[in-house]
Amino acid sequence: LLFLWSITVSIFGIGGLLGSSGSRYLTVKFGKKKCLLCNNVLMIVAASIMGCSKIAQSFEMILIGRFMCGVSAGLCAPLQHQYVGEISPKKLRGFANSTSSFFWSLGKAIGQISGQRELLGSQSLWPMLMASCGFPALVQLVALPFFPESPPYLLMHKGDQEGCKKAIRQLWGEGQHQAEIDDIMKEKATMKNTKILSVLELVKEPAFRWQLYMIVILTATIQLCGINAV
């Protein structure tokens, strides 16, 4: 029983690893908006599976749902930052990117509070707690179609300059936005001369060795500092 509970908890991280590993390929091929919409569907399906696990008397459904939630979270983590940053005007970009981290922390706090036995952590209501992760996904699934695709994606990957201008006007209003378009074109020219490294190539590259060490140590110590136990 302990082994099954351990797998149920840890499989979220395995799904997250797989989701984040495939995020770059999917965003280049399908675009950030489409990926986020499909990701919301995945989260809603996962929430539904976990929410029905008690009725079906199947712990395997919790296992599957947790894995799917992990894949969805792994895809969403880089996608959300990129999309929010790219649709924001330059003067608000730093603030917009910081809101992602704020809402990640707020979501965790709400989850911990909702999981108390006095609220949704009771014997009768825990399926609702498991399914609650589908609510934010449903909100985004309804709202996101009213937003345009990321302007940098339209210009850099699709070569759609008119679509990029239309998206910018929809997001930032009418006005002169040629400077932002020129910045995207400069970034596109820079990317042509820059090789995109795979994970294995990044690990082997001496120039990034110390940066990689710092990120790994920082991420590991966050998990070891006792925050999960608290």
Side-chain angles (χ1 to χ4, degrees):
L1 189 61
L2 180 61
F3 174 75
L4 287 174
W5 276 119
S6 301
I7 291 294
T8 303
V9 172
S10 60
I11 203 167
F12 179 89
I14 297 170
L17 179 63
L18 293 175
S20 59
S21 299
S23 62
R24 179 181 172 272
Y25 169 77
L26 293 172
T27 51
V28 171
K29 187 170 179 62
F30 300 109
K32 296 175 178 65
K33 180 182 173 181
K34 287 182 181 177
C35 286
L36 283 171
L37 285 170
C38 294
N39 192 50
N40 291 326
V41 174
L42 179 64
M43 181 62 84
I44 292 169
V45 172
S48 302
I49 290 173
M50 292 189 295
C52 296
S53 59
K54 185 178 181 181
I55 298 172
Q57 295 185 343
S58 170
F59 74 88
E60 293 90 349
M61 291 175 68
I62 300 177
L63 198 65
I64 294 168
R66 285 278 297 172
F67 176 74
M68 292 172 66
C69 279
V71 173
S72 178
L75 281 168
C76 182
L79 271 178
Q80 195 80 19
H81 280 284
Q82 291 172 22
Y83 185 71
V84 169
E86 289 176 4
I87 67 173
S88 304
K90 187 180 289 185
K91 61 182 180 180
L92 297 175
R93 198 160 294 161
F95 170 76
N97 276 327
S98 67
T99 59
S100 296
S101 301
F102 169 76
F103 283 113
W104 275 102
S105 302
L106 180 63
K108 289 179 181 179
I110 292 172
Q112 293 285 351
I113 294 167
S114 302
Q116 298 300 311
R117 294 185 186 278
E118 293 79 9
L119 298 174
L120 296 180
S122 64
Q123 191 170 356
S124 59
L125 295 178
W126 67 262
M128 291 181 60
L129 179 65
M130 299 291 285
S132 62
C133 58
F135 177 71
L138 181 62
V139 172
Q140 191 180 66
L141 187 64
V142 172
L144 195 58
F146 296 98
F147 287 76
E149 180 56 88
S150 159
Y153 172 79
L154 291 171
L155 188 57
M156 294 169 64
H157 296 286
K158 293 294 183 182
D160 185 1
Q161 190 161 352
E162 285 304 314
C164 175
K165 290 179 180 178
K166 183 179 177 182
I168 286 176
R169 286 195 296 269
Q170 184 180 343
L171 289 164
W172 306 340
E174 298 293 336
Q176 293 296 323
H177 302 297
Q178 190 58 43
E180 287 83 356
I181 295 172
D182 291 340
D183 286 342
I184 297 171
M185 292 299 294
K186 288 177 184 176
E187 187 179 348
K188 182 179 180 180
T190 303
M191 285 183 65
K192 282 185 177 179
N193 302 320
T194 305
K195 182 185 177 184
I196 303 299
L197 300 178
S198 67
V199 175
L200 188 61
E201 289 172 332
L202 178 65
V203 171
K204 291 181 177 179
E205 178 60 49
F208 301 119
R209 193 67 49 79
W210 280 105
Q211 293 93 319
L212 194 63
Y213 287 159
M214 288 168 64
I215 291 171
V216 169
I217 292 170
L218 179 63
T219 307
T221 49
I222 288 173
Q223 300 304 317
L224 295 172
C225 72
I227 187 169
N228 292 329
V230 170

